Amino acid sequence: MPKNVLVTGGAGFIGSNFVRYLLAHDQQVKIINLDALTYAGSLANLADLPDPARHTFVKGDICDRALVDGLLREHNIDTIVHFAAESHVDRSILGPGQFVQTNIVGTFTLLDAARQAWLVEKLLPVDQVRFHHVSTDEVFGSLEKDDPAFSETTPYSPRSPYSASKAASDHLARAYYHTYGLPVSITNCSNNYGPYQFPEKLVPLMILNALNGKPLPIYGDGQQVRDWLYVEDHCDAIWQVATRGEVGETYNIGGGNQPPNLEVVDTICDILDELAANSPHKPHRQLKQYVTDRPGHDRRYAMDIRKIESELGWQPRQTLSTGMLKTVQWYLDHADWLAEIRQDSDLTGWMERNYSNRGGEK
Ligand code: NAD
Ligand code: DAU
């Protein structure tokens, strides 16, 4: 079993949830958390960790080969769980360069450092190491209404700079397995939601705008479909695959919750009407506003998760209603977290850049 795990991007949304999950579920493992603390990463996401003595935070860039080489040796790393990425589609449309750098060059840097340490220098037995690469359903492209869900063998067809850069990183990970025998596994997951998600993404953005009486910007007709998964379920699936999944294999992960965006927003508004009963902005649905669509907007994603279910016995625990209720409650209870995030990240500047030219009332 893994002893020393390098988590990249562990100060971001899913990475920080994964650090918390792993410290709580595995009593032995030590975690080295390498994160550059971009706008999307924050130490506020790592407050109150269970058993923090088993977690070491290192501020640094995954593209820094010397730093990565040093960490693999200093901490005798046997497992890498690689989350670090630029992750927001809208930012990739306005500035694709950083996506190429972090998602492609960064993944290459980690893969090659692992190859050198584990396969060339043989610092650990090859059957005791694993490189787990965290990826997305967006690499498969966009489904039409009646198309079957994405499976592990669906051909890649990425359509945004973000998904193209993630597809490239998946190809590199697979190439390192086939060419060098690096023990790689890959998961492709659908849309996550839950605590600590940066409020540029649909779910936290809608919660926070609604609480502040601001418009809820719906791109296009709001009928785009995503496959929503509560973040803790994703963390559990990743750990199952990293520890029990076949080397060289890919596993799809999804929540089996596939409502159109408009329904997600309505659900959030209805939960807020209940939980924030004194809100002056009730009913929150009145804040919805249709704005100019995202260029190249993928219409529909859906994941076929039969492989991970049958091989590893994994299934999501939360439905969209139970997970969304927990999520909205978490944001209501963590105004202090939000204040810290706002201070660090130029969220206001991003809102201006992304929404000021989309039409509708600001
Ligand atoms: P996020 O944007 O919240 O966090 C990314 C983290 O990576 C941040 O902490 C950031 O500081 C760090 N980072 C960025 N560039 C770095 C660099 N060069 N070096 C070191 N650290 C760097 O992202 P997220 O939503 O938590 O996604 C994590 C991973 O999961 C990504 O690889 C993403 O593609 C994948 N994924 C996300 C979702 C989702 O719904 N959010 C779904 C499927 C897969
Ligand atoms: O599918 C997995 C992917 O899910 C991950 O790989 C990405 O890292 C993650 O960001 C997410 O991508 P999406 O583009 O699907 O997520 P986002 O929250 O940005 O948007 C969800 C849907 O909501 C999408 O159809 C666009 C729409 N949307 C989004 C925003 C921010 C709106 O209608 N209005 C908005 O203001």
Side-chain angles (χ1 to χ4, degrees), residues 24-89:
H25 284 77
D26 185 304
Q27 308 306 314
Q28 311 295 328
V29 91
K30 290 196 179 116
I31 299 175
I32 308 302
N33 181 351
L34 173 61
D35 194 298
L37 296 182
T38 68
Y39 80 91
S42 171
L43 294 179
N45 296 350
L46 296 165
D48 304 324
L49 291 179
D51 203 357
R54 289 190 285 124
H55 171 256
T56 303
F57 182 77
V58 178
K59 181 172 187 232
D61 192 329
I62 54 167
C63 300
D64 182 342
R65 175 67 188 260
L67 173 65
V68 175
D69 283 343
L71 291 176
L72 294 182
R73 284 158 185 75
E74 184 188 340
H75 299 281
N76 203 26
I77 297 295
D78 52 48
T79 304
I80 298 173
V81 184
H82 173 36
F83 294 93
E86 289 293 334
S87 69
H88 191 32
V89 174

Side-chain angles (χ1 to χ4, degrees), residues 87 136-138 162 191 202 217 219 226 261 294 297 355:
S87 69
T136 171
D137 59 359
E138 301 203 7
Y162 163 69
N191 286 59
L202 182 78
Y219 293 168
R226 298 291 182 267
N261 291 342
R294 173 185 280 175
H297 199 169
Y355 293 97

Side-chain angles (χ1 to χ4, degrees), residues 72-299:
L72 294 182
R73 284 158 185 75
E74 184 188 340
H75 299 281
N76 203 26
I77 297 295
D78 52 48
T79 304
I80 298 173
V81 184
H82 173 36
F83 294 93
E86 289 293 334
S87 69
H88 191 32
V89 174
D90 292 325
R91 287 189 193 250
S92 83
I93 294 167
L94 295 179
Q98 194 56 45
F99 287 71
V100 171
Q101 181 63 19
T102 295
N103 299 0
I104 306 178
V105 178
T107 302
F108 159 72
T109 306
L110 291 165
L111 287 163
D112 207 56
R115 177 177 77 86
Q116 177 67 29
W118 294 340
L119 303 182
V120 178
E121 296 176 33
K122 300 188 189 329
L123 297 179
L124 287 164
V126 73
D127 61 349
Q128 289 174 27
V129 298
R130 177 67 68 100
F131 189 112
H132 184 77
H133 176 63
V134 179
S135 192
T136 171
D137 59 359
E138 301 203 7
V139 297
F140 298 120
S142 181
L143 294 169
E144 298 294 332
K145 191 167 173 288
D146 296 319
D147 286 346
F150 300 129
S151 78
E152 286 79 0
T153 54
T154 301
Y156 276 29
S157 180
R159 293 159 29 109
S160 74
Y162 163 69
S163 53
S165 66
K166 289 298 290 186
S169 68
D170 293 12
H171 290 321
L172 280 169
R174 243 173 239 120
Y176 268 66
Y177 165 69
H178 287 293
T179 306
Y180 304 112
L182 190 73
V184 167
S185 46
I186 300 177
T187 43
N188 292 88
C189 186
S190 58
N191 286 59
N192 285 214
Y193 66 97
Y196 301 103
Q197 187 166 30
F198 189 79
E200 64 187 355
K201 306 282 168 65
L202 182 78
V203 169
L205 177 78
M206 295 297 159
I207 298 172
L208 297 171
N209 276 14
L211 281 174
N212 291 311
K214 292 189 177 160
L216 308 180
I218 316 274
Y219 293 168
D221 63 2
Q223 292 306 313
Q224 304 83 6
V225 171
R226 298 291 182 267
D227 184 335
W228 295 94
L229 180 68
Y230 189 65
V231 63
E232 196 177 40
D233 282 329
H234 186 193
C235 295
D236 184 39
I238 288 169
W239 194 234
Q240 299 310 319
V241 173
T243 54
R244 299 196 294 122
E246 287 288 327
V247 167
E249 288 292 313
T250 290
Y251 295 82
N252 279 1
I253 306 171
N257 298 300
Q258 292 143 10
N261 291 342
L262 209 49
E263 197 178 312
V264 174
V265 176
D266 283 339
T267 303
I268 292 169
C269 290
D270 296 349
I271 296 175
L272 276 174
D273 288 353
E274 293 278 321
L275 296 185
N278 296 327
S279 165
H281 311 298
K282 275 170 69 177
H284 295 93
R285 285 185 185 211
Q286 72 188 346
L287 297 168
K288 284 186 295 186
Q289 185 172 79
Y290 291 91
V291 300
T292 306
D293 207 351
R294 173 185 280 175
H297 199 169
D298 289 341
R299 194 69 181 164

